[in-house]
Amino acid sequence: MNDLILPLYKNGYLSSEANFFFAILLGIVFGFVLERTGFTRAQHIADTFYFKNTAIPKIMGVTVITATTWFIFFAWMGWIDLDALYTPGTYVWPYLFGGLLFGLGMVMAGYCPGTAVAGLGTGKSDALIFVLGLFAGAFLYFLVYPLISGFAGSGNLGVFKLHDLFGGNYYTSYLLTVVLEIGIISFIVFLQKLSSNKNKGEN
């Protein structure tokens, strides 16, 4: 057991079948948590963009900090091989455009793909419409990809990690992540207070 190093599937400790089983199990647990924290309610998510309710970005920020803290602790203890974790390549311009498009869709619908699927599991009709739109958008992207493949692969930085900016290591990335998340949460809280004071002034 002392040689048991995460990730289990990548390092050969789990079969494909067992990996699939645990993926389904963790997906169900994740969906349950999304429902209990309000992530499957479109109004809660939409209110975030109008700074009426900042609970969801706070939860997301704390979740990122907590998860990265466990990851860096496990790495320090030698229980996880961070280099074995899958990291997708970085494509600057399509990521920027996709992020803007994703944000626009999220503020209009109040869902992202994960929360929509979880919402669908609880019987929400608006989540069903979002999921259908998601599949339609994916199919449309498949059709037009030959026309935009050049843009889709532009700004390729390869597997680029946060600490690569400073020539550091994973601990550098961890510290930067914590600082960024705290900064984002603080900025959102500031905007909420600013919006609240403005609304009070108008009333």
Side-chain angles (χ1 to χ4, degrees):
M1 290 297 292
N2 293 333
D3 296 328
L4 195 66
I5 300 175
L6 300 171
L8 298 179
Y9 176 68
K10 188 74 174 288
N11 289 322
Y13 297 109
L14 285 180
S15 64
S16 297
E17 293 77 10
N19 188 60
F20 182 74
F21 168 77
F22 283 113
I24 295 295
L25 182 62
L26 290 173
I28 293 172
V29 173
F30 182 62
F32 175 79
V33 172
L34 286 178
E35 170 60 25
R36 296 300 297 170
T37 53
F39 274 74
T40 62
R41 298 170 181 83
Q43 189 61 50
H44 285 192
I45 297 176
D47 283 347
T48 299
F49 293 91
Y50 298 100
F51 307 112
K52 295 179 180 179
N53 185 349
T54 57
I56 286 180
K58 289 176 184 175
I59 292 171
M60 291 176 64
V62 172
T63 300
V64 170
I65 292 173
T66 303
T68 52
T69 298
W70 280 114
F71 269 101
I72 206 70
F73 174 73
F74 285 171
W76 178 67
M77 293 296 292
W79 297 342
I80 186 171
D81 180 8
L82 294 178
D83 289 321
L85 298 177
Y86 172 71
T87 305
T90 300
Y91 300 87
V92 177
W93 306 119
Y95 276 22
L96 288 174
F97 177 76
L100 290 172
L101 190 62
F102 185 93
L104 179 62
M106 196 168 178
V107 72
M108 291 174 63
Y111 285 110
C112 73
T115 57
V117 172
L120 182 62
T122 62
K124 292 180 174 63
S125 57
D126 55 345
L128 172 61
I129 295 172
F130 183 92
V131 171
L132 292 175
L134 177 68
F135 280 110
F139 181 68
L140 178 63
Y141 181 79
F142 169 76
L143 292 178
V144 302
Y145 181 77
L147 302 176
I148 62 171
S149 59
F151 175 73
S154 61
N156 182 12
L157 299 180
V159 178
F160 187 82
K161 298 176 182 177
L162 198 56
H163 58 260
D164 291 335
L165 290 170
F166 305 95
N169 53 29
Y170 285 109
Y171 296 101
T172 309
S173 282
Y174 168 70
L175 293 175
L176 289 172
T177 299
V178 172
V179 170
L180 284 171
E181 288 297 334
I182 292 175
I184 291 171
I185 293 172
S186 301
F187 183 62
I188 290 174
V189 170
F190 168 75
L191 291 178
Q192 182 188 25
K193 290 181 178 179
L194 197 66
S195 177
S196 178
N197 292 335
K198 181 181 178 181
N199 291 334
K200 287 179 182 179
E202 292 176 351
N203 294 331

